[in-house]
Amino acid sequence: MHRCPEVSVVLGSCNPRPDFLKRAVDSLLGQTFPHWELVLWDDGSLPPGREALRREAARDGRIRLFRGESNRGLGYGLNRCLERAQGRYIARLDDDDVALPQRLERQRDFLESHAPFQWVGSAALLLDRQGVWGVQKMPFRPEREDFLHSSPYIHPSVLFRRQALEAVGGYRESRRFLGCEDYELFFRLHRMGLRGCNLQEPLLGYWEDRDSQRKRVAARRLREAAVRWQGFRGLGLSGPRMVWGVLRPLGAALVPGAVRYRIKRRQRRLVRGQPL
């Protein structure tokens, strides 16, 4: 008898690197919790990326692939995934990241036994071409002040209760939020009085190399500043720290990506050789 999946993993992708995408799917196939599905959205990929997504979707009956004819952005793609998802929990994953083997089991069990929380993220191992180079830790129970520095959740590490995403209407699809969809979503969730937390153990391998920093171009920094301004006001934050928080991404836009990458590496504890 077919069992409806408890966890729907939603993944929007456009022109993925085939080797990275395979690694992401491998990480789901290796989960200790088997009752999941992967809902893939092809956001208008060119033929090579389209074929890579088709190839991965054919690997397992729990993977379902849908396609958009044009690139509409991550928020649009994730909402299309949510419309098709069957699980009562919704997990995020990006096509260049890795879910560690116990991720879905640990997060699902946590939400089953901690009713006050509507979603749960985790710490993450930071990856580049040479392997694991650091650890990104997040606050256990983020409060509004934790939004001042950056989003207090690593988006692809998060498992949501489905009703929490439905309560806020899912992701914003406007291009005003490109690259900031997750930050804006968590502002709205907190503004509604909903709360999440972060497990302190790494349950995700998060791709963060020099190119990741270079992609954060000035236009994206401007969009982030606007999201921060609106989000801080919605949470009742004000004063000099709020102004600093709004201006922070604009200052980062003036720093070359390679320099930001080196700074981040110094801020994270090196753990070379730690296995995934």
Side-chain angles (χ1 to χ4, degrees), residues 95-242:
D95 60 19
D96 56 358
D97 295 329
V98 178
L100 273 64
Q102 291 188 314
R103 176 196 164 179
L104 296 183
E105 181 178 12
R106 289 279 293 111
Q107 291 183 314
R108 178 260 189 192
D109 289 352
F110 180 88
L111 289 182
E112 287 283 302
S113 59
H114 292 78
F117 295 113
Q118 298 302 303
W119 64 92
V120 57
S122 76
L125 301 177
L126 300 175
L127 312 177
D128 64 12
R129 290 170 180 81
Q130 298 179 47
V132 178
W133 63 263
V135 177
Q136 178 86 43
K137 293 257 184 168
M138 310 304 285
F140 172 70
R141 183 169 183 167
E143 299 296 341
R144 63 178 190 165
E145 290 78 10
D146 293 304
F147 281 84
L148 288 166
H149 183 270
S150 62
S151 174
Y153 305 96
I154 301 172
H155 189 208
S157 80
V158 172
L159 178 77
F160 297 93
R161 298 187 195 274
R162 185 191 191 102
Q163 61 264 35
L165 289 174
E166 293 175 343
V168 295
Y171 294 86
R172 296 292 191 229
E173 298 181 11
S174 169
R175 291 193 173 270
R176 293 189 298 117
F177 304 112
L178 281 176
C180 310
E181 299 90 350
D182 56 330
Y183 206 0
E184 193 279 335
L185 173 70
F186 290 121
F187 273 126
R188 279 188 288 129
L189 287 164
H190 272 249
R191 192 164 66 241
M192 284 190 64
L194 303 176
R195 291 295 180 268
C197 69
N198 292 299
L199 302 181
Q200 297 301 287
E201 63 179 298
L203 295 173
L204 181 79
Y206 187 63
W207 187 261
E208 186 74 24
D209 67 353
R210 292 175 186 270
D211 291 338
S212 302
Q213 292 294 328
R214 292 191 185 106
K215 291 176 184 176
R216 291 163 193 169
V217 296
R220 175 174 167 178
R221 297 292 184 178
L222 287 170
R223 292 193 295 269
E224 182 183 344
V227 165
R228 284 170 174 256
W229 171 256
Q230 182 179 15
F232 294 159
R233 293 178 66 192
L235 294 182
L237 292 164
S238 60
R241 293 182 69 198
M242 180 262 211

